Structure formats: structure tokens, C-alpha cells
Amino acid sequence: MTDAFEWQPSASLSALKSRADQLAWVRGFFAQRGVLEVETPVLGRHGVTDPNLDGIYANSSALAGGAAGGWLQTSPEYHMKRLLAAGSGAIFQISKVFRDGERGRRHNPEFSMLEWYRPGYTDSELMAEVGDLVCGWLGCAQPGVLSYRNALYQYAGLDPFLASDRELTRRCEAWLEPEQAMKLGRDGCLDLLMSYLVEPALAEHGPVFITGYPESQAALARVSERDGVRQAHRFELYVQGIELCNGYWELTEPAEQSRRFAVDNQVRRQSGKPEMAIDTAFLEALKAGIPECSGVALGLDRLLMLKLGTSDIADVLAFPIELA
């Protein structure tokens, strides 16, 4: 027998009204700047190769000429870049996206994402616009900037580009058994140090962009050498220690992108995950020519959490996965 409370939403009516206000504010922000709102598929033929993302398979017979298949999208990125290649100009989208295995106080398998692309913008120029949108909505100070390298050095006591794999593993043994730490790999260790040491420290700061990630952590960003190491043109915005967005100065070279997809699948094999079919339509769009641009994906649920001062995503969702 179903408990009586299970039909009720987890978010209050005032939170739902704030969500509606947020959507109207975002649309007004981009309307004033002449950015076109678009819609792309939630159900697509392909998932993503990114080893850090697990998509949700959709067994739909409507795809691939009647053969069952398809994926709920982890991001509208590939479809939006196909629109860019078709000459759309600057575009944004508010979409539902899906990632398997993610449920916690800041995660739900289905969540709302704002994604936008700015032809002609560098990552620095897009960061300025992200700051305008986020801080305009929250009423906070404009973000500062801290490099990934300095963040790890300052709060974890190591250089993430020069530290040995063994040094990283030893640091992670403060939270994991040695054999568990060894299985993480280099990027897994760095992610753990970010979560356990850097992000809590950032909670004591005002809004801040983290920039200049290792190239292994930015599969869709261009890379350049700075300060003697190769760094990806990737940024993330943290407000009160909460990661809000992930942005790139976008990679537009199809051969390099294809190579990175192959590396992703190699990492997936090594970690026991299934290989993912390559989205050939996306690669063809790259070959046709995507304009030089920067793009960013921002979690609207987390942004609303900050606005309302709550630490639980269920407080801003009508029906999280347990009530869906």
C-alpha cells in the first residue's frame, strides 16, 4: 500500500514559483543580448564517450530504422554544435538532461541544464558573461579567478601537473585504503583532492572561477602550453563551494576530437565500462566547420539552491527520482 505522502512534491510552492522566476529571468537575460533559444533532442541516437559520465540507455524501437537503441542525453552539446555548424549563431537552451548513478544532496539523475554557445568568444570573454548571469540572479559579487594549479597547491599542498602518480595516491590514502587509491588513477586522485580539500576551502570564499585544468580533464576543450605545462581552456564557477558550471573554449578540430574519443573509449575499457559508439553526425559537423566559440553548461537546480539557501536538491525539484 502506498504511503499517503508519496504523491506530494518535495519542493514547496514558493520554491516552484522561484523556479518559474528563474526561467523567466534567464530567458530575459539572453533576449536582451540577442542569443537565440533552441531545442534539441532529449532522446538521441548516441551517448557520450566521456569516462566520467554514465548515460541512461533508452530501448526505443523508433531509432535506427526500427532497431532498438538510443540514449537519454547527458548534455545537449553535440546537437547544439551541429546547429552552430549550420549557421545558427549564438544559441542557448534550457533542457532536461540525464546521468545514471548520480543521486545525493546535490545530484538527481534527471536535472535541468542551461547551456549556451558564443561564436567569437574566448573562454575569458564567456566567463565574464557567466558572471553577469549568475551574479545578476543571485545578487552576489562578480567572481574572482584562481587557477586549478594554484588551487591544488594552496589547499592540497601539491602541484597537480608535476606531482607523481605515487604522490597523488599517497595523499588519497588519507580517505581510502591503499588498493582503492591505486585504482583511482591520476585524474581520479585529483578529483578526490578537489572534493575533499579544495571545494570545502572555496566555500569560505566569494564566487570564484577555477581555470586551466589538465588536458586529460577537458575532452572537448582546446589546449595550450602555459607556465611550462599543457593546460586546457576549461573553467568552472564555484559559489559557496558549490560547482555551478563547466565551460570550454571549444575544440573545433575533427581529427583531434576523433582521437580524444578513441582515448576515452580506451579509458572506459580499462575501467570496466562499455565502449560507446562515436557520434558520427557530430564529427561530420566538425568537418563542415564549427565557428570559433566558447560554450558553457550551468546547473539550474544548483543555482536555485543557492538562491533559496538550501543544501538539498530535493527542495527545488517538484519530484526527485524517489517520487518520480
Side-chain angles (χ1 to χ4, degrees):
M1 180 173 165
T2 303
D3 292 333
F5 70 86
E6 287 188 349
W7 67 268
Q8 298 176 2
S10 61
S12 66
L13 181 58
S14 63
L16 298 179
K17 289 179 178 178
S18 291
R19 179 179 288 275
D21 291 342
Q22 181 193 62
L23 295 176
W25 194 88
V26 167
R27 288 188 165 102
F29 179 90
F30 287 114
Q32 290 178 353
R33 295 171 181 237
V35 181
L36 176 68
E37 182 172 9
V38 298
E39 284 189 346
T40 60
V42 170
L43 174 62
R45 292 173 297 165
H46 294 89
V48 293
T49 60
D50 190 330
N52 298 310
L53 295 179
D54 294 315
I56 297 177
Y57 182 70
N59 191 22
S60 172
S61 61
L63 294 173
W71 294 84
L72 296 175
Q73 298 299 284
T74 58
S75 161
E77 179 169 4
Y78 293 177
H79 291 101
M80 292 184 76
K81 286 182 175 177
R82 288 165 63 181
L83 291 178
L84 289 169
S88 65
I91 52 177
F92 82 97
Q93 180 170 186
I94 296 168
S95 62
K96 288 289 189 179
V97 295
F98 302 83
R99 297 180 183 182
D100 199 15
E102 296 193 7
R103 182 65 181 104
R105 294 182 69 83
R106 297 179 185 175
H107 296 90
N108 192 63
E110 175 185 355
F111 60 100
S112 295
M113 179 180 285
L114 166 64
E115 190 153 331
W116 76 97
Y117 292 88
R118 281 294 210 162
Y121 276 37
T122 65
D123 46 348
S124 296
E125 291 170 321
L126 186 59
M127 285 164 58
E129 186 165 67
V130 171
D132 289 343
L133 186 146
V134 169
C135 295
W137 170 247
L138 294 179
C140 60
Q142 286 289 320
V145 179
L146 178 65
S147 74
Y148 181 89
R149 192 177 199 176
N150 285 339
L152 267 294
Y153 189 82
Q154 183 173 345
Y155 299 116
L158 55 79
D159 186 322
F161 293 92
L162 300 182
S164 67
D165 291 356
R166 179 57 189 147
E167 182 180 358
L168 292 174
T169 300
R170 282 200 304 267
R171 291 299 306 274
C172 291
E173 289 173 3
W175 302 277
L176 301 174
E177 294 297 325
E179 59 273 16
Q180 293 176 309
M182 288 186 65
K183 290 179 181 178
L184 282 180
R186 185 176 188 87
D187 285 328
C189 287
L190 288 172
D191 286 346
L192 187 145
L193 294 174
M194 277 290 294
S195 297
Y196 281 77
L197 296 177
V198 178
E199 290 182 9
L202 295 180
E204 305 301 319
H205 290 258
V208 61
F209 285 110
I210 303 297
T211 64
Y213 285 72
E215 62 179 317
S216 58
Q217 296 187 24
L220 296 163
R222 63 178 63 198
V223 175
S224 63
E225 185 165 324
R226 288 177 288 179
D227 300 323
V229 294
R230 287 176 59 79
Q231 300 181 34
H233 288 269
R234 172 190 176 191
F235 63 85
E236 290 189 331
L237 174 60
Y238 285 85
V239 178
Q240 296 178 23
I242 295 177
E243 177 206 337
L244 279 183
C245 72
N246 187 31
Y248 295 150
W249 191 358
E250 301 292 344
L251 177 68
T252 58
E253 210 289 308
E256 174 61 17
Q257 185 62 77
S258 184
R259 184 195 70 81
R260 294 190 192 184
F261 282 157
V263 171
D264 283 349
N265 269 328
Q266 181 181 10
V267 174
R268 293 182 72 88
R269 285 195 304 272
Q270 293 170 347
S271 62
K273 292 185 175 183
E275 289 188 47
M276 298 294 291
I278 303 301
D279 189 335
T280 53
F282 170 55
L283 287 179
E284 287 301 315
L286 286 180
K287 292 176 184 177
I290 289 179
E292 297 288 326
C293 66
S294 290
V296 63
L298 187 149
L300 288 174
D301 305 308
R302 290 187 180 184
L303 183 61
L304 189 54
M305 288 169 62
L306 287 166
K307 181 75 169 180
L308 299 182
T310 180
S311 61
D312 194 333
I313 196 171
D315 293 336
V316 300
L317 299 176
F319 302 108
I321 188 63
E322 296 82 8
L323 301 179

